[in-house]
Amino acid sequence: MPDRPENPAGSYVANPKPTEQQRSELINIIKQFPKKLRQVVEGLTPEQLKTKYRNWTVQQIVHHLADSHVNAYIRFKMALTEIRPTIKPYDETRWSSLEEPQTTDVVISLNLLDALHTRWVRVLENMHEQDFLQSYFHPEHQTVVSLGEALGAYAWHCKHHLAQIELVKKEG
């Protein structure tokens, strides 16, 4: 396995108060992500799907994206409907080590991401500027996260894992 960069899309830089223009760009990343992911994954061989990018196979990464973004969608809805809710962290490494993400066809998660991102983008596009100031408490990191910052983090998350899969595909 080649020595691969940890963050091929660059490091995440938090921005708790993105401008309207920045939010629009971030929402567009989330909107376009399922299509881009599907395009990259569709050409992969079974061997490439089982190729590890650092600690996870491409197949595990695709299922992780569905798991992570389901949690993100719920976190946004909680923060919009409750006063600074405490979110439920999950152990993504343990989730990805379950048998299910290692044996389930990636098409299942690609389809889930299509539907999920359609709903999530509807929420994002209907949010007002003050809604992006709403926040949740992340007990694992002991931090308060604004929805503006979370938007940037999940847009980066899309680019981060897409870049990993693109590198595996490029390597053949």
Side-chain angles (χ1 to χ4, degrees):
M1 174 173 68
D3 185 29
R4 297 183 174 121
E6 185 173 351
N7 297 314
S11 297
Y12 169 67
V13 178
N15 180 2
K17 294 182 182 178
T19 65
E20 184 177 352
Q21 176 64 34
Q22 289 168 328
R23 288 193 309 265
S24 178
E25 292 168 6
L26 296 169
I27 291 169
N28 193 51
I29 290 168
I30 290 172
K31 185 176 189 173
Q32 298 301 317
F33 178 69
K35 179 181 177 182
K36 289 183 176 186
L37 180 63
R38 188 176 292 276
Q39 289 171 341
V40 170
V41 170
E42 280 182 342
L44 296 177
T45 66
E47 294 78 24
Q48 287 172 309
L49 288 170
K50 295 296 183 189
T51 300
K52 281 194 172 189
Y53 189 96
R54 298 178 64 82
N55 299 321
W56 290 346
T57 67
V58 170
Q59 183 169 334
Q60 287 173 299
I61 292 170
V62 172
H63 294 308
H64 158 71
L65 286 159
D67 292 341
S68 174
H69 294 188
V70 163
N71 277 283
Y73 173 72
I74 297 300
R75 290 170 180 181
F76 269 76
K77 300 243 337 201
M78 287 175 60
L80 289 168
T81 60
E82 301 174 26
I83 298 171
R84 194 171 288 146
T86 299
I87 57 108
K88 173 76 172 89
Y90 68 102
D91 188 331
E92 61 187 31
T93 300
R94 290 184 71 187
W95 280 36
S96 72
S97 69
L98 292 170
E99 187 71 19
E100 171 262 333
Q102 296 181 55
T103 59
T104 301
D105 189 331
V106 294
V107 171
I108 302 298
S109 283
L110 293 173
N111 291 341
L112 174 57
L113 286 162
D114 285 337
L116 176 63
H117 278 240
T118 298
R119 289 283 310 273
W120 191 9
V121 168
R122 292 278 301 139
V123 169
L124 294 168
E125 290 178 341
N126 284 285
M127 288 172 61
H128 302 286
E129 187 164 349
Q130 68 272 16
D131 293 330
F132 288 96
L133 300 176
Q134 296 293 100
S135 60
Y136 56 79
F137 178 71
H138 197 303
E140 185 176 46
H141 303 298
Q142 294 292 301
T143 57
V144 173
V145 180
S146 73
L147 292 183
E149 180 177 347
L151 174 62
Y154 284 105
W156 175 85
H157 191 250
C158 292
K159 294 189 302 185
H160 169 69
H161 286 301
L162 191 62
Q164 291 177 333
I165 297 168
E166 287 172 335
L167 282 174
V168 168
K169 188 172 187 176
K170 183 179 176 183
E171 291 169 1

